[in-house]
């Protein structure tokens, strides 16, 4: 190969999509390159002009415009343009202008066509939005064991079962014979049509009614001096949390962590097929967020809980390094956050005594959405029983709220700047008052109420009377859906924070062409996307809190055009995982994790996908305007 | 005035020179080269097929030194086609000095196995025919090629060419502020190929190679034309 072709080849081989080409294809491309120089300010391709080649920027910079004349993109050394025009036909759709003196390599159409035909990655790269983001996200899902592997793979033996009419002694004997620490309780039922019924090998119908563990026998029988002949039905809980065999290992882990349990019966449809233990999963996956949650519940003081902060961070970094998805990391971190909070409440209650009336500690924001990352402030509130009498009860709850809030702050969840905390009197109210709050916000929205709605309408129970929060979720789901005016106002509110256009060299490129040195990926990408998703979710009356789950329900309700929710879901996953990976890197570099991303720390392929994700957010915001118009207009 | 008028009379135009040479030259390759002619003086540069030419030589003096490698790249103001170009290593009559080997990164064995220039002259001339030659620094390629043709065929090979270094000197070394700049001791800007290219935002090429330099010269000329001229500029304003 001649030296000048090598010069060309060396340069293009460092930039996507050429960096993935085989040597032979690279040679072919370099050998076919034609070169043209453009002075700054000159037009490179005019709308409707012919396109015969893919353009590669060897030096300089260009701007690409939309047909309405708005800036579409700014490109620099190593970037390409013209691929869409080449794929669609031969006419220029997006005019291009040199903004600096620019030297272009032109790759003739026949060579471009051959590249698309022979190299799938190249074809994916040039074939526009969605497809690349989609393939990147799907790739990472495929590569991830915990999500790809169904939990049934962890089953090593059939479940040991016993009729609940049997005695504690019979159960203990069975457990000893089989060397297991738990048995499933079953009882016969009328026929297989009974709700929840499964049939055994002989065709007899049974119901799963619970599970008995070593600990139950110890606590309920031995410690209390109860008879070994006590029937199991009187020690069992009458119900049990289960998981379907085709759910992922990750889902099983999250279920265990969320419920703070050690064992989880696995069902195939309704038939128990095994029991998965937390230790199985820990063994399966070296990540130790499971250990961590265990550890949290063993701590007996705020101080010792606060000492776990480095471990929380280490667990976060490990998950990010192992290629976990944002959903997994978010789920794991949320479990940790909830466990911490629950433990803080338990410690406070142990000290202050039992609560005078029932109540529920609820959370908002990322903890409610189950997408918590590593830097996050606390958003919480308290729903009290309607028997609440401030004179008699509030001292207790104020003190409880204060202790939990201080504890969270000590554990690395700083106080909420917007004062969305149970320590705020306004957010420590009886259920009826909360219902009135929410009803008023929906019935007559104003800027302040809309802001509250976007915070409080992501809500979940963390400790106490979960049904209080469920009632609130029900109220929101029913009322918001039926209030076009509220939805329109919330939709308008969701357009306040816009994404940037993308990156240009070491800058963030704004929609109006300005440059910034860094971008807050949460504020400019993830939060606006969550805002959009929340509006759609409320629009279809969804009770889901997690962004991905909301998207599933929005899809099921047919509220968005086909394919739209997929794009939103890919964009949400990508923006979230980029944020988490950058935070993990910051922790590894001994810097404080943040939401700011500097373009120079963004790889070429990340740039491409981020630009696409921002585009998705932008389109989703535009669609929202159209989908929820202000009534009467 | 009279002197210059006589001078002009004495010097034929390039078109006349080519027409006469096409008749008198006995070497077929040269005859064809000249018969292809030159663009009319008023022809816009944007219409003219060009070829960037670069030689690597053992020294600066065509009477003492020899050509070691030749690179050429055809182009015009719209597009440069490196892959349509040519490159030859040729074996000089005298042995290559160590110094020039290091500079050119052409090895002894490469040169040992290379053909003598006589073997590629016809090819070279047919590549240049019908194209206006563009070089950076006109005192190498034309005199060395003329000397080589003379040595092999006993006939001259002269042609108009565009010198990107001379063009660069027009605005970097001349102009109204030149005297003033010198007065203040401001160094004149370098008009070497790499430095000239940098002024137009053209990339740096690492290799010292006749064809890379030919490509680099073609890019520089496109840049010069884009910044200082128009495609309608008559060739006679540019060639020498």
């Amino acid at each position: 190969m001649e030296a000048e072709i090598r010069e060309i080849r060396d340069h293009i081989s460092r930039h996507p999509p050429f960096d993935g080409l085989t040597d032979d294809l690279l040679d072919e491309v370099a050998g076919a390159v034609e070169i043209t120089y453009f002075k700054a300010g000159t037009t490179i391709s005019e709308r409707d002009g012919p396109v015969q080649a893919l353009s590669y920027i060897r030096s300089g910079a260009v701007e690409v415009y939309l047909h309405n004349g708005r800036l579409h993109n700014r490109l620099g050394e190593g970037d390409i343009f013209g691929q869409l025009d080449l794929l669609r036909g031969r006419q220029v759709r997006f005019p291009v202008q040199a903004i600096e003196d620019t030297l272009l390599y032109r790759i003739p159409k026949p060579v471009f066509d051959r590249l698309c035909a022979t190299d799938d990655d190249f074809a994916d790269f040039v074939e526009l939005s969605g497809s690349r983001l989609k393939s990147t996200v799907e790739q990472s899902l495929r590569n991830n064991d915990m999500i790809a592997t169904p939990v049934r793979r962890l089953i090593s033996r059939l479940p040991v079962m016993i009729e609940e009419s049997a005695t504690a002694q019979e159960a203990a004997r069975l457990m000893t014979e089989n060397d297991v620490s738990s048995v499933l309780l079953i009882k016969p039922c009328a026929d297989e049509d009974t709700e929840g019924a499964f049939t055994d090998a002989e065709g007899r119908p049974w119901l799963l009614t619970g599970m008995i563990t070593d600990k139950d026998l110890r606590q309920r029988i031995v410690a209390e001096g109860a008879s070994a002949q006590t029937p199991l039905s009187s020690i069992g809980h009458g119900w049990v949390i289960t998981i379907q065999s085709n759910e992922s290992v990750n889902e099983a882990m999250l279920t265990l962590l969320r419920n703070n349990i050690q064992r989880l019966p696995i069902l195939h449809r309704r038939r128990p097929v095994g029991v998965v233990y937390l230790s199985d999963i820990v063994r399966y996956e070296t990540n130790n967020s499971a250990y961590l949650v265990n550890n949290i519940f063993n701590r007996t003081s705020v101080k010792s809980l606060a000492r776990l902060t480095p471990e929380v961070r280490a667990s976060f970094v490990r998950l990010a390094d192992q290629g976990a998805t944002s959903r997994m990391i978010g789920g794991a971190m949320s479990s940790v956050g909830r466990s911490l909070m629950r433990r803080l409440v338990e410690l406070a209650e142990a000290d202050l005594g039992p609560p005078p009336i029932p109540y529920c500690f609820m959370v908002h924001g990322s903890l409610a959405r189950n997408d918590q990352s590593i830097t996050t402030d606390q958003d919480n509130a308290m729903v009290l029983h309607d028997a609440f009498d401030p004179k008699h009860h509030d001292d207790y709850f104020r003190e409880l709220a204060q202790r939990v809030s201080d504890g969270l702050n000590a554990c690395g969840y700083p106080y909420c700047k917007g004062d969305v905390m149970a320590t705020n009197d306004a957010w420590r109210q009886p259920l009826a008052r909360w219902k009135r709050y929410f009803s008023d916000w929906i019935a007559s929205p104003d800027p302040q109420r809309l802001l509250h709605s976007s915070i409080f309408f992501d809500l979940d129970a963390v400790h106490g009377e979960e049904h209080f929060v469920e009632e609130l979720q029900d109220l929101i789901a029913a009322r918001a859906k039926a209030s076009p005016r509220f939805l329109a106002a919330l939709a308008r509110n969701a357009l306040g924070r816009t994404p940037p256009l993308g990156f240009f060299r070491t800058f963030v490129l704004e929609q109006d062409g300005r440059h910034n040195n860094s971008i807050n990926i949460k504020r400019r990408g993830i939060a606006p996307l969550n805002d959009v998703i929340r509006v759609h979710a409320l629009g279809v009356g969804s009770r889901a809190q997690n962004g991905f789950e909301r998207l599933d329900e929005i899809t099921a309700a047919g509220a968005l055009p086909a394919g739209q929710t997929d794009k939103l879901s890919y964009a949400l996953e990508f923006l979230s995982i980029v944020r988490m990976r950058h935070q993990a890197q910051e922790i590894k570099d001994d810097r404080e994790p943040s939401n700011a991303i500097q373009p120079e720390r963004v790889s070429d392929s990340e740039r491409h996908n981020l630009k696409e994700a921002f585009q998705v957010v932008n389109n989703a915001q535009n669609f929202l305007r159209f989908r929820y118009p202000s009534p009467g207009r | 005035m009279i002197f210059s008028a006589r001078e002009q009379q004495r010097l034929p135009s390039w078109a006349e020179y080519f027409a006469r040479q096409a008749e008198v030259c006995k070497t077929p390759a040269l005859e064809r080269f000249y018969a292809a002619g030159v663009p009319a003086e008023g022809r816009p540069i944007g219409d003219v097929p060009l070829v960037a030419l670069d030689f690597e030589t053992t020294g600066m003096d065509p009477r003492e030194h020899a050509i070691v490698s030749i690179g050429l790249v055809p182009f015009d103001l719209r597009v440069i086609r490196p892959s349509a170009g040519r490159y030859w290593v040729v074996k000089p009559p005298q042995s290559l000095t160590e110094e020039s080997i290091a500079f050119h990164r052409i090895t002894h064995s490469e040169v040992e196995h290379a053909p003598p220039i006589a073997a590629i002259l016809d090819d070279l001339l047919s590549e240049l025919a019908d194209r206006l030659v563009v070089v950076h620094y006109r005192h190498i390629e034309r005199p060395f090629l003329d000397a080589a043709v003379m040595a092999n065929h006993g006939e001259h090979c002269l042609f108009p060419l565009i010198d990107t270094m001379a063009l660069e000197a027009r605005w970097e070394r001349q102009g109204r502020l030149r005297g003033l700049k010198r007065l203040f001791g401001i160094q004149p800007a370098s008009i070497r190929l790499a430095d000239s290219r940098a002024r137009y935002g053209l990339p740096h090429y690492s290799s010292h190679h006749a064809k890379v330099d030919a490509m680099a010269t073609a890019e520089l000329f496109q840049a010069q034309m884009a910044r200082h001229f128009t495609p309608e500029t008559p060739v006679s304003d540019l060639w020498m």
Side-chain angles (χ1 to χ4, degrees):
Chain A
M1 192 198 306
E2 289 181 4
E4 89 291 354
I5 307 285
R6 205 176 309 128
E7 287 273 0
I8 295 169
R9 188 197 139 118
D10 286 353
H11 198 270
I12 61 173
S13 68
R14 291 199 300 268
H15 295 93
F18 306 100
D19 53 357
L21 293 183
T22 62
D23 283 356
D24 287 349
L25 281 174
L26 262 181
D27 290 350
E28 188 178 337
V29 175
V33 157
E34 298 180 344
I35 307 169
T36 307
Y37 181 88
F38 291 90
K39 188 177 65 162
T42 50
T43 298
I44 295 174
S45 26
E46 257 169 312
R47 185 160 156 77
D48 297 333
V51 205
Q52 282 126 5
L54 177 71
S55 296
Y56 171 93
I57 302 172
R58 174 60 179 84
S59 61
V62 307
E63 278 183 352
V64 185
Y65 303 95
L66 297 173
H67 12 251
N68 59 14
R70 275 184 47 203
L71 181 62
H72 172 59
N73 206 353
R74 190 174 288 166
L75 304 170
E77 184 172 329
D79 288 331
I80 57 171
F81 61 89
Q83 63 270 35
L84 300 183
D85 296 330
L86 278 173
L87 288 168
R88 286 194 191 124
R90 290 175 186 243
Q91 290 202 323
V92 175
R93 268 188 73 205
F94 300 133
V96 180
Q97 193 165 31
I99 55 167
E100 288 175 10
D101 293 337
T102 297
L103 192 66
L104 291 185
Y105 287 168
R106 308 278 205 157
I107 296 155
K109 179 162 166 54
V111 178
F112 174 81
D113 289 343
R114 249 183 61 72
L115 287 176
C116 289
T118 51
D119 191 303
D120 288 345
D121 292 335
F122 184 91
D124 272 357
F125 186 96
V126 296
E127 267 168 23
L128 185 63
S129 300
S131 60
R132 182 138 193 255
L133 190 57
K134 180 176 169 202
S135 63
T136 307
V137 170
E138 284 181 345
Q139 186 76 30
S140 68
L141 286 180
R142 269 197 299 280
N143 290 348
N144 196 287
D145 256 15
M146 291 252 286
I147 279 195
T149 312
V151 66
R152 73 177 118 78
R153 295 266 179 84
L154 297 186
I155 299 174
S156 52
R157 59 181 303 161
L158 287 170
V160 178
M161 298 189 272
I162 189 167
E163 280 194 55
E164 65 174 15
S165 57
T167 64
Q169 186 176 28
E170 283 168 323
R173 203 175 288 143
L174 186 68
M175 288 160 75
T176 308
E177 277 167 18
N178 287 281
D179 194 22
V180 290
S181 59
S182 66
V183 283
L184 300 183
L185 300 188
I186 54 176
K187 71 173 182 199
C189 61
D191 56 55
E192 54 191 284
D193 292 334
T194 311
E195 196 183 332
F198 67 94
T199 49
D200 65 14
E202 280 95 54
R204 277 172 302 180
W206 297 93
L207 281 176
L208 177 67
T209 62
M211 181 165 57
I212 292 286
T213 66
D214 277 350
K215 190 177 167 189
D216 292 325
L217 295 176
R218 165 162 54 87
Q219 286 183 341
R220 307 263 182 110
I221 305 296
V222 183
E224 292 187 5
S227 155
Q229 303 312 312
T230 308
L232 294 170
S233 56
S234 68
I235 349 176
H237 304 271
W239 56 277
V240 62
I241 298 165
T242 61
I243 190 165
Q244 286 294 317
S245 63
N246 57 356
E247 294 273 13
S248 66
V249 171
N250 180 59
E251 193 54 43
M253 179 186 82
L254 291 180
T255 306
L256 287 164
L257 296 184
R258 221 176 276 140
N259 298 291
N260 189 28
I261 52 178
Q262 303 286 327
R263 308 167 180 79
L264 190 59
I266 301 172
L267 306 186
H268 176 70
R269 305 230 169 85
R270 285 173 292 192
R271 186 161 46 86
V273 291
V275 176
V276 64
Y277 293 77
L278 191 55
S279 55
D280 292 338
I281 292 177
V282 171
R283 215 177 303 127
Y284 178 79
E285 180 74 12
T286 50
N287 108 64
N288 66 355
S289 49
Y291 279 130
L292 199 53
V293 167
N294 239 340
N295 216 336
I296 286 170
F297 285 100
N298 293 331
R299 301 282 160 144
T300 52
S301 72
V302 175
K303 225 186 227 167
S304 62
L305 280 171
R307 277 201 294 271
L308 287 173
T309 309
E311 283 183 47
V312 175
R313 292 195 163 187
S315 157
F316 173 81
V317 170
R318 205 157 22 236
L319 278 167
D321 284 354
Q322 284 168 353
T325 64
S326 83
R327 224 176 148 172
M328 291 171 58
I329 303 176
M333 286 298 110
S334 300
S335 294
V336 169
R338 276 160 193 275
S339 306
L340 255 170
M341 207 169 152
R342 253 180 232 165
R343 188 62 188 150
L344 286 167
V345 178
E346 284 172 7
L347 290 175
E349 280 186 6
D351 203 31
L352 298 171
I357 51 169
Y359 78 105
C360 184
F361 229 120
M362 70 176 168
V363 288
H364 307 281
S366 57
L367 211 46
R369 288 191 306 270
N370 251 319
D371 62 9
Q372 188 145 71
S373 183
I374 198 72
T375 53
T376 181
D377 51 6
Q378 43 175 303
D379 290 318
N380 54 60
M382 240 184 234
V383 187
L384 309 166
H385 190 275
D386 285 335
F388 178 63
D389 174 357
K391 262 199 300 229
H392 293 103
H393 305 136
D394 204 29
D395 284 349
Y396 178 89
F397 290 112
R398 193 186 304 111
E399 179 60 21
L400 180 65
Q402 195 61 52
R403 289 195 184 198
V404 171
S405 183
D406 292 347
L408 284 171
N409 187 59
C411 293
Y413 300 82
Y415 299 116
C416 172
K417 290 183 202 76
D419 210 11
V420 177
M421 293 182 290
T423 48
N424 182 337
D425 291 348
W427 311 138
R428 196 176 61 250
Q429 293 290 337
L431 179 59
R433 173 62 75 87
W434 278 107
K435 286 183 176 170
R436 196 153 50 196
Y437 279 167
F438 288 4
S439 309
D440 288 350
W441 296 352
I442 293 170
S444 42
D446 63 25
Q448 185 63 42
R449 288 170 166 185
L450 287 167
L451 182 66
H452 285 334
S453 305
S454 62
I455 296 168
F456 285 92
F457 287 7
D458 294 346
L459 73 172
D460 203 9
V462 148
H463 183 89
E465 308 296 319
E466 290 181 15
H467 62 96
F468 286 179
V469 172
E470 281 163 16
E471 279 184 45
L472 291 173
Q473 288 173 339
D474 289 349
L475 181 145
I476 296 166
R479 296 276 173 92
K481 184 183 170 187
S483 312
R485 207 161 75 86
F486 171 74
L487 290 174
L490 198 65
R492 257 201 321 281
N493 220 40
L495 307 177
R497 294 176 288 194
T498 54
L501 206 49
F503 299 97
F504 176 67
R505 294 187 179 146
T506 56
F507 299 105
V508 177
L509 179 62
E510 298 296 344
Q511 311 255 5
D512 59 4
R514 276 183 304 116
H515 284 170
N516 277 319
N517 291 327
S518 76
I519 178 186
N520 183 316
I521 193 170
K522 183 183 169 194
R523 197 178 306 143
R524 301 293 302 283
I526 299 164
L529 192 50
N530 272 325
D531 286 346
V532 167
I533 294 170
R534 182 183 307 107
V535 176
H536 286 303
L538 292 175
V540 301
S542 160
R543 285 172 185 73
Q545 306 297 321
N546 177 268
F548 297 100
E549 286 167 21
R550 282 175 167 172
L551 283 170
D552 287 344
E553 298 203 358
I554 293 164
T555 308
L560 278 176
Q564 273 304 311
T565 42
D566 279 350
K567 279 191 185 161
L568 294 180
S569 153
Y570 294 130
L572 182 60
E573 171 59 33
F574 192 75
L575 290 168
S576 309
I577 196 66
V578 165
R579 171 193 184 209
M580 287 167 169
R581 282 194 205 131
H582 279 253
Q583 290 175 334
Q585 190 57 50
E586 284 172 323
I587 293 173
K588 285 193 276 184
D589 295 346
D590 260 339
R591 288 175 293 142
E592 201 46 37
S594 71
N595 292 313
I597 290 190
Q598 280 80 33
E600 59 264 32
R601 295 184 184 275
V602 179
S603 73
D604 272 343
S605 60
E606 267 185 355
R607 271 167 187 248
H608 187 95
N609 286 322
L610 277 175
K611 181 180 164 51
E612 231 176 81
F614 291 142
Q615 188 69 48
V616 170
V617 176
N618 189 45
N619 292 344
Q621 289 187 328
N622 289 337
F623 182 76
L624 202 62
R625 220 185 293 266
F626 154 84
R627 177 72 178 74
Y628 299 99
S630 299
R633 271 207 201 156
Chain B
M1 286 297 281
I2 295 169
F3 178 78
S4 77
R6 278 174 61 199
E7 279 282 308
Q8 274 192 349
Q9 252 180 359
R10 208 163 53 77
L11 275 180
S13 73
W14 279 115
E16 287 161 0
Y17 175 75
F18 266 55
R20 204 175 66 207
Q21 288 293 94
E23 278 180 26
V24 301
C25 280
K26 296 185 182 64
T27 315
L30 270 178
E31 199 192 319
R32 283 195 297 275
F33 173 75
Y34 284 121
V38 286
E41 296 193 350
R43 193 153 158 211
I45 186 70
D47 288 353
V48 177
L50 307 165
V51 59
L53 183 65
D54 188 78
F55 291 176
E56 310 264 314
T57 58
T58 58
M60 301 290 281
D61 186 346
R63 286 165 305 183
E64 281 180 32
H65 301 119
I67 301 170
V68 178
S69 67
I70 299 170
L72 63 86
V73 172
F75 74 111
D76 57 32
L77 285 199
R78 279 172 294 110
V79 59
I80 300 164
R81 297 192 174 80
S83 53
R86 301 290 298 271
Y87 177 72
W88 297 276
V89 174
V90 294
K91 186 176 183 175
Q94 60 272 62
S95 65
L96 206 58
T97 66
E98 290 296 329
E99 205 181 343
S100 52
I101 292 169
F103 178 71
H104 298 306
R105 293 192 210 148
I106 293 172
T107 61
H108 275 296
S109 72
E110 257 184 285
V111 174
E112 278 310 311
H113 297 100
I117 189 152
I120 62 108
L121 265 183
D122 287 6
D123 262 3
L124 173 58
L125 288 172
S126 79
E127 293 285 349
L128 300 183
D130 212 17
R131 290 183 171 272
L132 184 53
V133 172
V134 180
V135 299
H136 192 77
Y137 188 57
R138 66 187 175 280
H139 300 299
I140 296 289
E141 283 76 14
R142 192 159 55 184
F144 271 86
L145 181 56
D146 188 41
V149 172
M150 183 56 81
N152 284 282
H153 299 303
E155 292 179 303
H156 274 294
C157 178
L158 294 172
F159 44 86
L161 54 70
I162 292 171
D163 179 359
T164 50
M165 182 189 261
L167 288 179
E168 201 59 13
R170 284 194 193 177
W171 41 87
E172 291 301 332
R173 291 290 167 84
Q174 289 153 26
R176 289 181 296 119
L177 296 176
R178 179 164 155 256
L180 202 61
K181 280 184 182 165
R182 190 179 298 160
L183 199 65
F184 283 101
I186 296 170
Q187 284 290 317
S190 164
I191 50 176
R192 292 172 50 195
L193 183 57
D195 299 318
S196 301
R197 285 170 56 83
R199 277 192 289 276
Y200 296 88
L202 289 166
H204 174 76
Y205 289 138
S206 51
S207 28
H208 246 298
H209 180 280
K211 202 173 169 196
V212 175
D213 282 353
M215 179 172 78
T217 303
E219 290 169 1
L220 174 60
F221 183 63
Q222 274 198 348
Q224 289 175 327
M225 295 311 293
R227 187 175 294 182
H228 300 288
F229 294 91
T230 67
E232 285 72 43
T233 309
V235 289
S236 56
D237 281 7
L238 300 165
W239 74 22
M240 320 183 90

